[in-house]
Amino acid sequence: MIPPQKSLFNAPLGHGLPIGNLTSQFFANIYLNELDQFVKHRLKCRYYIRYVDDFIILDKSKKNLHKLKQEITEFLQKKLSLKLHPKKWAVRNVNEGIDILGYFIKPNHILVRKRVVKNFKKKLFQFQSDLPLNKVNLDFVLSCINSYYAHFMYANSYKLRKHLWEEHFGVLKALLEPVDDFRYFKLRG
């Protein structure tokens, strides 16, 4: 039942687990536990957050953040044979916002990343071009839409959720109805 692109059996020689595979998340947490312990106990970082292979460290000093980055880089290379991606790290002011896990987080609000919204609009367009839908396809469409809306719920997104419904659901409006101020959808009838 596993899609071929997510199966380890189909991975090219020398490549790891496919992205999005639950085992890749599980093993990342086990493998990167050493990084967590290093950052928390050796480097004494008070504000450290990690989700799978993405992490954030908050500190008042830019100089200290650059020093921490160097120490983490050395630790990852020596102990875990890993490298930080050269284009996926930055030292910046928190007021500029943090782009992580499908959100853009600012001190006073959280927005859904533009790319996530764009991908959702593409899905809605695709669903509408696949009409008419049978029961199996309709259940898939509903679960996909509700999955996106569950993601949106962690952001300040009421206007976005309402706008998407009003402007992008098209003929799907005849099949679905919003529940509880656009928190999720159910089948009509």
Side-chain angles (χ1 to χ4, degrees), residues 149 153 158 161-163 165-166 178-185:
Y149 268 65
M153 288 301 300
Y158 173 78
R161 297 186 325 263
K162 185 177 181 202
H163 168 78
W165 167 253
E166 291 171 348
V179 178
D180 199 17
D181 269 343
F182 304 99
R183 289 179 178 270
Y184 66 96
F185 293 86

Side-chain angles (χ1 to χ4, degrees), residues 73-187:
T73 298
E74 290 172 16
F75 173 83
L76 288 172
Q77 287 174 343
K78 289 179 186 173
K79 296 287 186 180
L80 300 177
S81 299
L82 295 174
K83 294 181 198 174
L84 291 177
H85 192 289
K87 295 181 180 177
K88 294 190 177 181
W89 71 271
V91 174
R92 63 173 68 112
N93 189 309
V94 153
N95 292 323
E96 295 175 32
I98 299 169
D99 184 1
I100 190 166
L101 303 175
Y103 301 101
F104 192 73
I105 303 168
K106 299 272 273 185
N108 298 319
H109 63 281
I110 300 172
L111 302 172
V112 178
R113 185 186 281 166
K114 287 179 183 178
R115 188 176 78 215
V116 173
V117 175
K118 182 180 175 184
N119 289 342
F120 180 60
K121 287 178 183 178
K122 282 183 187 176
K123 284 273 189 204
L124 288 173
F125 180 79
Q126 177 188 346
F127 293 153
Q128 292 177 70
S129 65
D130 291 343
L131 292 173
L133 298 169
N134 61 36
K135 174 70 172 136
V136 173
N137 291 348
L138 189 55
D139 286 343
F140 173 77
V141 167
L142 181 62
S143 67
C144 184
I145 288 171
N146 281 335
S147 177
Y148 271 97
Y149 268 65
H151 179 81
F152 297 162
M153 288 301 300
Y154 289 96
N156 303 101
S157 66
Y158 173 78
K159 288 180 182 178
L160 169 66
R161 297 186 325 263
K162 185 177 181 202
H163 168 78
L164 288 167
W165 167 253
E166 291 171 348
E167 302 297 326
H168 297 279
F169 273 67
V171 295
L172 293 174
K173 289 182 183 178
L175 304 169
L176 307 174
E177 65 179 292
V179 178
D180 199 17
D181 269 343
F182 304 99
R183 289 179 178 270
Y184 66 96
F185 293 86
K186 67 179 186 178
L187 296 176

Side-chain angles (χ1 to χ4, degrees), residues 42-59:
R42 291 272 313 277
L43 300 180
K44 307 276 191 222
C45 292
R46 186 171 179 191
Y47 301 106
Y48 166 73
I49 302 161
R50 182 179 64 79
Y51 180 80
V52 188
D53 63 344
D54 292 328
F55 67 90
I56 298 171
I57 297 174
L58 302 174
D59 195 279

